[in-house]
Amino acid sequence: MRDRAKALFRIACQAADPGLALSRALETAPLPALGPGGRYRVVAIGKAAVPMAEALLPRLDAPFEALVVTNYENARPVAGAIVNAAGHPVPDDNGAKGAWAVEAMLLNAKPADRVIALISGGGSALLPAPVAGVTLA
């Protein structure tokens, strides 16, 4: 019974893997077409941002810019992306820097570009952007 429980647990974890889920979705849903001279602008945010970015970026066949914001425990290099590790569940300065980086990337988007947002749990803590007069403290 223990072996069966372990096998079922492994199957459940695999079914919940965000990278595999995105890969399956991409098999049936084509990526949006770029306009002339456009590029993909990929923003991956959350505790599952790294595996989602790793599943998407190799599939892009056009120029892209990618920013990954995840928690410290899940951060690792992602080929072709800038990775920003930040505090979760308590927001920190690195998260605020990540929020500014996301904003800057999107402000530079042109009509021919396509933005792809990969969002998983934890994004609200990982990208704090308090209004003027409010601090992280």
Side-chain angles (χ1 to χ4, degrees), residues 32-126:
L34 295 171
R39 64 188 306 126
Y40 290 107
R41 295 183 183 264
V42 179
V43 178
I45 303 162
K47 294 178 285 184
V50 168
M52 291 189 302
E54 289 172 335
L56 175 69
L57 297 182
R59 294 173 180 261
L60 298 179
D61 59 357
F64 67 87
E65 183 178 353
L67 178 61
V68 176
V69 182
T70 192
N71 58 318
Y72 294 108
E73 297 82 1
N74 291 330
R76 65 177 181 262
V78 175
I82 295 170
V83 177
N84 184 73
H88 181 278
V90 178
D92 65 10
D93 287 335
N94 279 346
K97 290 174 187 171
W100 296 328
V102 168
E103 185 176 345
M105 176 195 281
L106 298 180
L107 282 173
N108 289 321
K110 306 207 177 351
D113 295 344
R114 297 299 175 259
V115 174
I116 300 175
L118 305 173
I119 303 170
S120 66
S124 60
L126 291 165

Side-chain angles (χ1 to χ4, degrees), residues 8-18 20-21 24:
L8 291 172
F9 179 76
R10 280 192 296 276
I11 290 168
C13 288
Q14 185 176 22
D17 181 281
L20 290 176
R24 284 192 297 270

